[in-house]
Amino acid sequence: VKLLLESLGDACPYDQDTKELIWLSATLHDIGKVAIPDSILLKPGKLTDSEFNLMKQHPLLGRLAILRTQESLPENSFLNFAAEIAEYHHEKWDGSGYPHGLKGSSIPLSARVMAIADVYDALRMKRTYKSECTHEETVAKILEGKGTQFDPNLVDVFTRIHQDFDDIWLLLRDNGNPGAVMRDRSPEYGSLIQ
């Protein structure tokens, strides 16, 4: 998220403090999955329609969880962005996403950036239901989604910096568990991933 925001340059409408709030709050994008049963999250095969419909509720469940937290911390910018990203990161540029079917620039920029970072991470990571993709396969899938799943301008930015995504992935990868990202290394690698 940081890499994409920083790479937007002058096209980024956010000041430096706001960009920092976005990339820090982006870590909560899937917080709603805590309300999804493990039998669905860890299912080794394809989800049924009803299971997928339940999974598609995680953006709204995440927003609700963050809003409850905001009741005790009103006007918290970190939580405002966290709620925005959680709710909208599965919307698609062409309007075919969920939970609201938003289209184009009506999707908040923070969520459009998160969508690319989230898909990159999900494709590179081994899951119970799929093997991990290579960097090249992942880049191809993101390029394939240009203008349909993803903001075409952000995909253009991603295309210029995709090797940096791979470098960060390889740097943070836990070699003892291929596909897992080491979450506790951020202090060690500071400016590169924060």
Side-chain angles (χ1 to χ4, degrees), residues 33-188:
K33 285 185 177 179
V34 300
I36 306 297
D38 283 347
S39 61
I40 293 174
L41 291 174
L42 303 175
K43 184 176 179 178
K46 184 177 177 170
L47 298 179
T48 65
D49 289 344
S50 64
E51 289 169 333
F52 186 61
N53 286 333
L54 183 57
M55 178 65 90
K56 290 190 324 186
Q57 296 304 307
H58 86 269
L60 292 174
L61 295 168
R63 178 173 177 78
L64 287 173
I66 293 166
L67 290 176
R68 285 192 191 118
T69 303
Q70 281 184 300
E71 290 172 4
S72 61
L73 298 167
E75 301 306 315
N76 182 298
S77 297
F78 172 85
L79 292 175
N80 290 339
F81 279 113
E84 177 179 273
I85 292 167
E87 183 170 5
Y88 300 115
H89 74 282
H90 283 290
E91 300 290 350
K92 294 183 180 179
W93 188 255
D94 66 3
S96 65
Y98 61 88
H100 304 293
L102 297 182
K103 184 176 184 177
S105 61
S106 64
I107 304 164
L109 177 60
S110 61
R112 286 182 272 150
V113 168
M114 184 69 236
I116 291 175
D118 188 36
V119 166
Y120 185 90
D121 186 60
L123 290 172
R124 293 299 309 268
M125 197 174 270
K126 182 179 180 181
R127 303 283 171 105
T128 57
Y129 54 88
K130 69 165 201 65
S131 59
E132 65 182 285
C133 292
T134 66
H135 172 72
E136 293 75 18
E137 292 167 331
T138 302
V139 170
K141 289 181 188 242
I142 290 173
L143 290 174
E144 189 178 298
K146 180 180 178 178
T148 54
Q149 184 171 357
F150 306 114
D151 178 333
N153 295 322
L154 290 176
V155 173
D156 289 343
V157 172
F158 172 79
T159 302
R160 289 195 322 266
I161 62 169
H162 73 83
Q163 189 56 53
D164 293 332
F165 267 70
D166 190 41
D167 292 344
I168 292 168
W169 175 263
L170 294 173
L171 183 67
L172 297 179
R173 181 185 179 117
D174 179 352
N175 290 319
N177 183 10
V181 176
M182 296 180 68
R183 305 288 183 205
D184 61 347
R185 287 194 173 182
S186 60
E188 183 179 347

